Amino acid sequence: MTQPNIQHLIQAGDRQYARQNFAQAVELYDKAYRLQSSHLNQVKLVQALHANQQNKSAATLISNYVTSYLKTYADTQLAVAVFLKLEDLIGAYQFVQNVTWHNDQQQQLLDQQIKQAAQAIATSHPQLLARLSQRVLTIVTSPLSQQLEVVTRLHQLDLPDYLEQAKILVLHPYLHPLIKAGVMDDLVKLRLTEVVPLSFYGDMKTVIPNELPIIANLQSLNALQQQLSSLQSQLGHNYEALSGELNLYAAMLYPFTDQIITDASFWLKMIMAKFGYKNTGKTLEKDLKAVKVNKWLSKFEELLSLFN
């Protein structure tokens, strides 16, 4: 479709939005966005989704392009509004903590909006903190699906209460590493500057979240993905599955992934051998480094099987 036709869809969407026909606006903006996935078209779609009470869909779009919503007050305000409608206070706080624009008055406005939402949640769910605190203390006695639900619902808490519960979770020696990684990733996004103790595969460690990269920005993960992309034609339809596995492996080593995966090329060879793509395992099996990597890969396989 030509540029004028895309513009025609946008203009038609604008008219429907102005008339508060938000469902029709969503449909028109979605067509335009699929034809031209610019940030401007995405923002219009997110605005219409938000106005049409389709905030989960709006949040999914935003979450895939977070940095785009950190550059201007208007975009950050939109993202915060969407997450607050989902009662995701922590997600909203994370946007405010990571903006690249600077205006104290506007930041105070967003902080005020989040605090008002926190008060509203506390009023409508008076026992929320007590219930979640109890569930955190007994979290590993629940199925993994319910553990994930608890961690998700913690985002309904105001920041001080969330931090208290998150610190308990990362200290838990038996919490699944993927769940723990998600909590730690949240602390990093909140730019927490204090020392946080955590249990990491039986060892006690300490980190300062503000000094860590988020999982998506890990150097080792990006190196693994870049090398895997060079094999995309060889892997065919298995490429996406292997790429997903790499993301999971990196998360299960978080926040120490970059310290453990220091040779991405070697790790990828071992992973490929594990999946039967290259016969490198036999030539490397006596290598001390290979033994260590294989131990991690076996541990990952064991941990991931718990989700099946």
Side-chain angles (χ1 to χ4, degrees):
M1 187 174 280
T2 63
Q3 182 66 32
N5 287 328
I6 295 171
Q7 193 62 33
H8 176 75
L9 287 170
I10 293 295
Q11 290 171 350
D14 290 345
R15 287 193 296 271
Q16 295 300 329
Y17 189 93
R19 295 169 186 162
Q20 297 188 5
N21 296 327
F22 300 125
Q24 292 91 329
V26 166
E27 184 178 347
L28 290 161
Y29 289 146
D30 184 59
K31 287 180 180 178
Y33 181 65
R34 290 175 186 276
L35 292 166
Q36 185 183 69
S37 55
S38 68
H39 177 63
L40 179 61
N41 289 351
Q42 185 186 99
V43 166
K44 284 184 174 291
L45 176 55
V46 168
Q47 287 173 329
L49 288 166
H50 176 53
N52 202 44
Q53 303 300 316
Q54 294 176 255
N55 289 291
K56 286 187 178 180
S57 296
T60 299
L61 267 176
I62 293 170
S63 297
N64 289 333
Y65 301 92
V66 168
T67 55
S68 298
Y69 290 84
L70 302 174
K71 297 176 181 178
T72 69
Y73 170 69
D75 287 348
T76 304
Q77 184 183 42
L78 175 60
V80 167
V82 167
F83 277 74
L84 291 183
K85 275 292 185 180
L86 296 172
E87 295 190 340
D88 188 345
L89 298 175
I90 299 307
Y93 272 121
Q94 289 169 348
F95 277 99
V96 176
Q97 288 296 319
N98 289 279
V99 295
T100 55
W101 51 268
H102 301 287
N103 183 302
D104 290 342
Q105 186 176 3
Q106 290 175 333
Q107 282 192 305
Q108 287 171 7
L109 284 173
L110 293 178
D111 286 335
Q112 186 177 4
Q113 290 173 21
I114 297 172
K115 288 177 182 177
Q116 289 173 346
Q119 291 170 355
I121 292 172
T123 301
S124 59
H125 306 289
Q127 299 301 314
L128 179 65
L129 176 58
R131 288 199 304 269
L132 288 177
S133 298
Q134 183 59 37
R135 293 188 71 182
V136 164
L137 291 176
T138 59
I139 191 166
V140 296
T141 64
S142 301
L144 284 171
S145 60
Q146 293 181 22
Q147 294 181 35
L148 288 167
E149 179 196 348
V150 171
V151 172
T152 300
R153 292 207 66 192
L154 287 177
H155 276 222
Q156 292 178 277
L157 299 178
D158 201 6
L159 186 57
D161 294 329
Y162 174 80
L163 292 177
E164 181 179 353
Q165 301 305 316
K167 290 173 186 176
I168 293 172
L169 288 174
V170 298
L171 264 176
H172 203 305
Y174 303 116
L175 187 65
H176 196 288
L178 274 180
I179 298 176
K180 190 177 294 186
V183 176
M184 183 56 65
D185 198 50
D186 273 339
L187 295 178
V188 174
K189 291 173 182 175
L190 288 167
R191 304 182 72 89
L192 194 64
T193 57
E194 62 188 82
V195 175
V196 175
L198 73 152
S199 174
F200 183 78
Y201 291 96
D203 294 330
M204 289 302 301
K205 306 269 190 178
T206 59
V207 295
I208 299 176
N210 191 45
E211 296 178 354
L212 299 171
I214 61 174
I215 294 173
N217 292 345
L218 287 167
Q219 291 183 3
S220 53
L221 176 57
N222 290 330
L224 284 169
Q225 292 288 7
Q226 285 177 8
Q227 293 191 30
L228 185 69
S229 66
S230 68
L231 303 172
Q232 188 168 359
S233 59
Q234 174 187 333
L235 297 172
H237 65 276
N238 291 322
Y239 170 76
E240 292 295 336
L242 269 171
S243 177
E245 288 290 309
L246 295 183
N247 289 334
L248 292 173
Y249 294 169
M252 283 191 284
L253 293 173
Y254 192 71
F256 304 107
T257 316
D258 285 344
Q259 291 95 312
I260 295 172
I261 303 180
T262 55
D263 187 342
S265 178
F266 186 85
W267 269 76
L268 188 59
K269 286 179 182 178
M270 297 301 298
I271 292 168
M272 296 290 286
K274 191 87 173 175
F275 282 87
Y277 283 102
K278 286 189 176 182
N279 193 25
T280 54
K282 291 183 179 179
T283 59
L284 296 171
E285 61 186 7
K286 294 182 180 179
D287 186 291
L288 180 60
K289 187 162 65 169
V291 171
K292 290 181 178 179
V293 173
N294 269 328
K295 282 184 178 180
W296 278 119
L297 295 180
S298 296
K299 172 61 74 174
F300 297 158
E301 187 176 355
E302 174 189 343
L303 289 166
L304 289 173
S305 70
L306 298 176
F307 280 96
N308 297 331

